Amino acid sequence: MFTPKIPPPDTAPTPGTSLVPPLTGLVHPPACTCHHTPTAPMAPVPAAAPARPAVRFTPGSLLVAAAGGTAVVLVVGTVLVSMLLATAITAASVAVCAVVLRSLLNRPNNR
C-alpha cells in the first residue's frame, strides 16, 4: 500500500523529453504598428515659466480655513473624549460588579 507505483517502462517519460509539448508557431505582433519612418531629432523644449501657486488665499478664505480646522479638531476631540469616558465608566462598573460578586461568593454565611 505504501510502496511507490512506478509506471511501466513504455509509458515513463525519458529524461530528455518533457510532458508539456513545446509551443511552436507563435508569432508575436510588433510593439508599434504605426509604420512610421524615423525623423530628425526634435528641438529642445524651452524651460517653462515658473508656475504660480495653484491656490491663492485671501484673508476671508484664511479665516474660513482656520475656523473649519478648529471645528474639525473640536469635533474629533469631543468624540475621542466621549469614547474614553465611556470606556472608563464601563471599567468602573465591571470592577464594582467584580467586588460585589467576590464578596458574595467568599462569605455566603455572613449575609
Side-chain angles (χ1 to χ4, degrees):
M1 182 168 112
F2 293 110
T3 58
K5 304 276 190 286
I6 300 174
D10 60 338
T11 60
T14 60
T17 62
S18 171
L19 296 176
V20 179
L23 298 174
T24 57
L26 288 179
V27 178
H28 294 286
C32 176
T33 58
C34 55
H35 305 294
H36 61 82
T37 58
T39 59
M42 296 179 59
V45 178
R52 297 184 316 182
V55 178
R56 292 190 180 193
F57 289 111
T58 62
S61 64
L62 284 176
L63 185 64
V64 168
T70 303
V72 167
V73 167
L74 289 176
V75 168
V76 170
T78 304
V79 169
L80 291 178
V81 167
S82 65
M83 289 172 65
L84 180 63
L85 184 62
T87 304
I89 291 172
T90 304
S93 65
V94 168
V96 168
C97 290
V99 168
V100 169
L101 283 175
R102 182 179 170 192
S103 68
L104 288 175
L105 293 176
N106 282 342
R107 302 182 203 177
N109 297 332
N110 295 340
R111 285 189 245 166

